[in-house]
Amino acid sequence: KSGTGFQSDSDRRPLFGLGAATAVDRLSILWPSGTRQTLLQVSANQTISIREASFESVGTPSLGSSVTLRLDSETDTGATSVVLVSAQEPPHTVLPDGTELPLTVDSLAIDLIAPGNGILNGAIGTVDPSGRAEAVLQIPNVPSLLGLLLFSTAFTIDPQIPLSVRTSFGAPLRLTLQRLRPGPNRRA
């Protein structure tokens, strides 16, 4: 426990000795939230600062509206991003490289990653230079969907190493479909 005693001032940053190595082939970080980030070919003799990747929904999941599903990961610029939406949470799905996704890849998830499906736009994309990738979930105005619970997660794949996951999230987003609330420009 460094830096926790009375009047102590110890550096809390982890320090790794690499001996004669000039780089680390693979550096994996498992955050307390369950998010896992992997960096490849990290040069030696440097201090790096890594911000935990995030995945969030922007907007209210209401019938007849859209929700943006946003991945933010500064360490994944240029990587392929994949956003999944499923109607089933457990059991988890295990990818070929051993990464566990916190939902079941069901027929809905498979249908929604198909290009041009009209429901989930941008399910497969590229993380931009700012570290962001987004997909937009278009929620149909179908009354029978009211109250439906959907689960969403995202992951990134290294473009240099096919099927090698760089970032994944430990818990899915939970999206319960609601009624669209009347606003000043909407009819009830």
Side-chain angles (χ1 to χ4, degrees), residues 24-29 37-42 48 50 75 166:
V24 173
D25 294 335
R26 183 180 185 98
L27 173 64
S28 290
I29 303 160
Q37 283 175 268
T38 301
L39 288 75
L40 302 174
Q41 299 303 317
V42 179
I48 58 174
I50 301 166
T75 61
R166 284 180 37 181

Side-chain angles (χ1 to χ4, degrees), residues 85-106:
V85 175
S86 172
Q88 297 181 344
E89 184 179 20
H92 298 345
T93 298
V94 179
L95 298 178
D97 73 343
T99 301
E100 282 191 33
L101 299 178
L103 50 68
T104 298
V105 176
D106 57 8

Side-chain angles (χ1 to χ4, degrees), residues 3-163:
T4 59
F6 177 70
Q7 293 185 341
S8 66
D9 191 23
S10 299
D11 192 348
R12 298 185 78 172
R13 296 174 295 182
L15 178 65
F16 302 96
L18 302 179
T22 59
V24 173
D25 294 335
R26 183 180 185 98
L27 173 64
S28 290
I29 303 160
L30 178 59
W31 298 92
S33 67
T35 296
R36 180 180 301 274
Q37 283 175 268
T38 301
L39 288 75
L40 302 174
Q41 299 303 317
V42 179
S43 297
N45 299 319
Q46 66 172 328
T47 299
I48 58 174
S49 177
I50 301 166
R51 185 174 54 91
E52 182 177 3
S54 64
F55 183 58
E56 64 180 347
S57 63
V58 179
T60 302
S62 302
L63 299 183
S65 70
S66 63
V67 172
T68 299
L69 302 170
R70 180 179 296 151
L71 177 144
D72 261 315
S73 180
E74 296 170 348
T75 61
D76 286 321
T77 59
T80 300
S81 62
V82 179
V83 174
L84 297 173
V85 175
S86 172
Q88 297 181 344
E89 184 179 20
H92 298 345
T93 298
V94 179
L95 298 178
D97 73 343
T99 301
E100 282 191 33
L101 299 178
L103 50 68
T104 298
V105 176
D106 57 8
S107 59
L108 176 64
I110 292 168
D111 289 346
L112 294 183
I113 62 171
N117 66 68
I119 302 286
L120 185 60
N121 301 310
I124 298 175
T126 302
V127 180
D128 70 21
S130 71
R132 180 171 284 175
E134 294 181 343
V136 177
L137 177 63
Q138 303 287 340
I139 303 168
N141 192 7
V142 177
S144 62
L145 296 177
L146 187 63
L148 178 66
L149 177 60
L150 297 174
F151 303 91
S152 184
T153 194
F155 60 95
T156 63
I157 300 171
D158 190 295
Q160 310 296 316
I161 308 167
L163 300 178

